[in-house]
Amino acid sequence: MKAPFSWLKDYVDIKISANELAEKLFSCGFEVEELVYLGEKINGVVVGEVKSLTPHPDSDHMQICVVDCGQYGHDLQIVTGAPNVYVGMKTPCALDGSTVCETNPQMLEKNPDGIKKIKKGKLRGVESFGMLCSGEELGINDDFYKGADVNGLLDLQKDAPVGEDIKKIVGLDDYIFDISITANRPDCQCILGIAREVSAVLKQPLKEPDYSYTAHKTDALPVDVEVLAPDLCPRYVGHYVENVQSGETPAWMRKRLALSGLRSISPIVDITNFVLLEMGQPMHAFDADDIGGRKIIVRRAKQGEKIITLDEKEFTLTSENLVICDGEKPVALAGVMGGLNSEIKATTKNVFFESAKFARDNVRKTSRALGQSSDSSSRFEKGVDAYTNERGMARALHLIEELGCGVVTDISKDVCAVDLTPRIMTASVDKINALLGIKVPDEEIVAILSRLNFKPQISGDTLTVEIPGYRDDVDGAPDLAEEVIRMYGYEHIVPTFLEKASVTGGGLTDEQKREAHLKNVLKEQGFMEAYNYSFYSPKDLDLVKLPQDAPERNAVKILNPISEELSIMRTLLTPSMLGNAVRNIRRGNDEGREFEVANIYIPNAVAGEQPIERKHLVMGIWGGQNDFFALKGAVECLAERFHLPFTYERAEKPYLHPGVSADILLGKEVVGSFGELDPAIALSLGLDKKVYLGELDLETLKEKMDDNIRYTNLPKFPTVKRDLALIADEKLTCAEIEEVLMHSCKYVTKAVLFDVYRGGQVPEGKKSMAFTLTFTPDASVEKAFTPETLDGFVKKILKNLSFKLGVELR
């Protein structure tokens, strides 16, 4: 929201500087994102009067001027080539060392700040001690000062004081406040709304705009208004103005529009724009003689209906769009833009003014769907209250009379489907003070709310207020408390601890440290951490082929989801990681490793209780050299770092390859699983890379995870390795054989599979598995292992393998 300082002064007697006002606005909840001084580029430019002209001896178009600049010099010699210079002309004079706006496109490339410095010098051998300026060199146009658009020097009014700073003369001695307005305060998206806040914070009376006008009787036929969609148009105010006169908009209004970035068009159009900026009420003016049947109908558009808007664009409408129609056709796209068939023209003699409230969501959807926006649609999207509809119309009619550009008639319509009775609210003063945590004196509460037009009364502990019609955001004691404290001053709030707060030494908890350690371990393995939403779609569970009776299907449903795609809380992290992998592969990231540590949410069996949250770890790898064993290696690295004795068994997960997957066991409890994505799912997703997924229940593991560093004595004697090639049944797993190998001899500290072979001399239904066994002597061993000793160990191991698993030496 841009608010000119000079415009705010029309409504409030402001006796502080612009910078001080910016701080005051910030203190009451309105952040001034930028404070722009309009005359920032203009320095050292004053009013000069041309006293004499002499032709330049070496130029046909240049003239040597003697200029009176008051206290800056009464006879300054300045050379100019402007064709409109004359003796007695008062014009801006840039003195030696001054700055103006750069107008040369080539120089703008070198000076992106747009500032041009003026220095004395010679023009074709004649000294010039400054420069006479055009409106363009001051950065202004005709709306700022009449004559600024002339191709030549700016001809100032004759009463301009010689030597006066030009910024004061042309209106550049002003500031623009660029204010950030929060979504709950649409009433402040206008100059009057900000002025109300300035009035309250400065404790100065507000000078309301003049809403008075006189309605004259007319012989014109009445204009009927019918609203067929009151849910999308709760209020529609219309008024007929006749004998419209074309002409020039007054300078004061043109300047107000220019300060807000709008050019003057015509008195009628300028009035609608002025009311939008001043009151926050979008308005539209129809050429009344183009309204078919002398009737306005507000309705939903018919499917396929067409309209051509003021910018000559044609749109095909749907029943979701709201249109303003006459008795024959659409004449405006409600809340967005008027129709070309009813625009104000130079020949327009009678107009019908519209001031309405349209549903903000409908205007937003229409604007987005059609790709059409305007200042009005932007304002409607933020919210317009029904109270301002009538006030905005009254202000526009007053301006019609003030500018003398038409006759206000007694033909008007007000179709209203909302209750305009002022809302009365009561609240406990003690409750307001309890919310603020301080005691605000009753008289201060009354004074603050009175300045904000709430008409407060306090009786005992009861505060009674009348909510202003433009404050739709106020709906309870917390809102009143906010109004009080932002004017009373947040500096009055005394910092206190929360009720159950306590002072701690800071730092991370043991659980947080353990989680950070886990993440670092995975990062060392080449994984990158991912963050996903805590909810997804039931379709994600369908994608991973979970049975309908799977416990993961029992999910917490979101009451008001953003969309169906984010409608249930996660009971399994794997679908999110699968989505990450798919998204990366489709975008050309052919290789990757990701992990996520997050909660899953399980519905609580106790009605009304919050869901049970359990922390899980999910991992995903794809492409490159990534395979099943790479993912298993990451799991084993975690097991080693946290001293977890994991074992592995064949898994049966619906979303994993039945032959390339494994469950992770801690003791006899399954704590996770990992493996290759089921090829059928990969095919349905169109993946050309294999994806491997794994998920572990950290909630179960956290009590058994030990991330402390453990120290053991180095063995006195060297370790010895032996390779064994074994013949085993096809159905036996590596884990089953490893378990027997590790428990058959206490000196075996590691058993690593390094080869699997089928065919050749290996019988059918069998497979050859080669392991490397590491024998480590402990403290009880008094000498190095001899070959004979190792043979004894191997014999014992083979005996156990044969007895327990039927495994033989190859």
Side-chain angles (χ1 to χ4, degrees), residues 672-686:
S673 59
F674 65 95
E676 181 187 335
L677 178 67
D678 189 321
I681 298 177
L683 182 63
S684 69
L685 292 170

Side-chain angles (χ1 to χ4, degrees), residues 521-808:
V521 170
L522 289 171
K523 290 172 185 176
E524 291 168 4
Q525 298 296 309
F527 284 81
M528 300 185 72
E529 186 172 6
Y531 288 91
N532 293 293
Y533 287 127
S534 295
F535 24 76
Y536 47 40
S537 170
K539 295 178 182 177
D540 290 319
L541 299 179
D542 295 336
L543 177 63
V544 295
K545 302 196 297 186
L546 285 180
Q548 291 301 317
D549 58 350
E552 293 85 356
R553 290 277 187 181
N554 183 25
V556 178
K557 296 181 180 179
I558 308 297
L559 292 177
N560 55 339
I562 298 173
S563 69
E564 180 62 23
E565 301 302 314
L566 301 169
S567 60
I568 61 172
M569 303 297 289
R570 293 192 293 183
T571 55
L572 189 70
L573 303 185
T574 296
S576 297
M577 184 55 68
L578 174 58
N580 289 2
V582 171
R583 191 158 42 250
N584 275 279
I585 292 171
R586 288 176 177 174
R587 294 180 181 180
N589 297 325
D590 294 333
E591 181 179 356
R593 292 187 175 198
E594 288 187 1
F595 76 92
E596 181 184 10
V597 176
N599 288 335
I600 64 167
Y601 301 85
I602 303 169
N604 201 315
V606 181
E609 292 293 324
Q610 293 295 319
I612 299 169
E613 299 183 30
R614 294 184 65 87
K615 189 151 289 185
H616 274 212
L617 163 68
V618 65
M619 296 176 287
I621 62 175
W622 64 89
Q625 300 298 315
N626 291 315
D627 58 13
F628 173 83
F629 295 104
L631 187 56
K632 183 172 183 285
V635 174
E636 290 178 336
C637 186
L638 288 175
E640 182 179 351
R641 291 291 185 92
F642 291 96
H643 307 291
L644 296 168
F646 284 160
T647 56
Y648 307 94
E649 291 183 355
R650 188 184 299 274
E652 294 183 2
K653 295 289 183 183
Y655 53 86
L656 296 179
H657 191 303
V660 192
S661 58
D663 282 333
I664 305 169
L665 285 79
L666 187 60
K668 294 185 178 181
E669 184 177 6
V670 177
V671 294
S673 59
F674 65 95
E676 181 187 335
L677 178 67
D678 189 321
I681 298 177
L683 182 63
S684 69
L685 292 170
L687 299 180
D688 59 355
K689 302 282 187 298
K690 289 186 176 181
V691 176
Y692 300 87
L693 303 165
E695 185 163 344
L696 286 85
D697 183 355
L698 294 183
E699 205 70 30
T700 301
L701 294 176
K702 70 179 183 180
E703 297 300 329
K704 300 171 183 177
M705 295 172 73
D706 180 6
D707 58 349
N708 293 318
I709 298 174
R710 295 182 181 180
Y711 297 92
T712 57
N713 291 327
L714 291 173
K716 295 179 181 179
F717 305 101
T719 59
V720 182
K721 294 183 178 181
R722 280 285 184 96
D723 292 342
L724 294 180
L726 307 173
I727 300 294
D729 288 339
E730 187 67 52
K731 64 181 181 179
L732 284 176
T733 65
C734 176
E736 290 173 314
I737 297 175
E738 280 185 358
E739 183 178 6
V740 175
L741 290 171
M742 295 295 295
H743 290 86
S744 293
C745 177
K746 69 177 183 177
Y747 299 116
V748 176
T749 55
K750 186 182 290 186
V752 178
L753 176 71
F754 68 85
D755 184 50
V756 178
Y757 174 72
R758 296 176 178 86
Q761 298 177 357
V762 179
E764 187 176 349
K766 302 284 186 177
K767 58 185 174 182
S768 173
M769 304 178 71
F771 291 86
T772 295
L773 303 184
T774 301
F775 295 88
T776 305
D778 60 20
S780 64
V781 177
E782 297 180 352
K783 62 178 181 178
F785 291 144
T786 64
E788 293 77 12
T789 303
L790 291 174
D791 289 342
F793 294 158
V794 170
K795 185 180 293 186
K796 181 180 179 182
I797 291 169
L798 292 174
K799 184 177 181 181
N800 278 335
L801 285 171
S802 178
F803 176 74
K804 294 180 178 180
L805 302 176
V807 173
E808 301 293 340

Side-chain angles (χ1 to χ4, degrees), residues 434-462:
L435 284 169
L436 299 177
I438 58 174
K439 170 68 176 175
V440 182
D442 289 359
E443 57 272 18
E444 191 66 35
I445 293 177
V446 171
I448 289 170
L449 294 178
S450 295
R451 296 199 300 271
L452 292 169
N453 300 323
F454 280 85
K455 301 179 181 178
Q457 292 182 347
I458 292 181
S459 177
D461 181 49
T462 303

Side-chain angles (χ1 to χ4, degrees), residues 364-424:
R364 180 171 58 253
K365 290 175 182 176
T366 296
S367 179
R368 299 296 186 275
L370 299 179
Q372 182 78 335
S373 62
S374 63
D375 291 337
S376 292
S377 68
S378 176
R379 185 65 184 82
F380 276 119
E381 288 178 26
K382 294 178 175 70
V384 171
D385 57 84
Y387 168 84
T388 307
N389 299 152
E390 184 180 4
R391 304 282 277 182
M393 178 63 78
R395 180 61 173 158
L397 298 177
H398 168 81
L399 291 171
I400 290 287
E401 290 190 342
E402 183 178 337
L403 272 59
C405 58
V407 177
V408 179
T409 73
D410 58 354
I411 296 177
S412 65
K413 282 290 182 179
D414 186 350
V415 181
C416 186
V418 294
D419 184 6
L420 297 178
T421 305
R423 291 183 295 143
I424 305 299

Side-chain angles (χ1 to χ4, degrees), residues 278-303:
E278 181 188 45
M279 306 287 297
Q281 175 61 57
M283 298 192 66
H284 187 65
F286 298 97
D287 188 324
D289 297 329
D290 290 334
I291 298 177
R294 304 287 287 185
K295 188 172 186 177
I296 290 291
I297 302 172
V298 185
R299 62 169 172 81
R300 286 178 167 83
K302 299 174 183 177
Q303 196 71 28

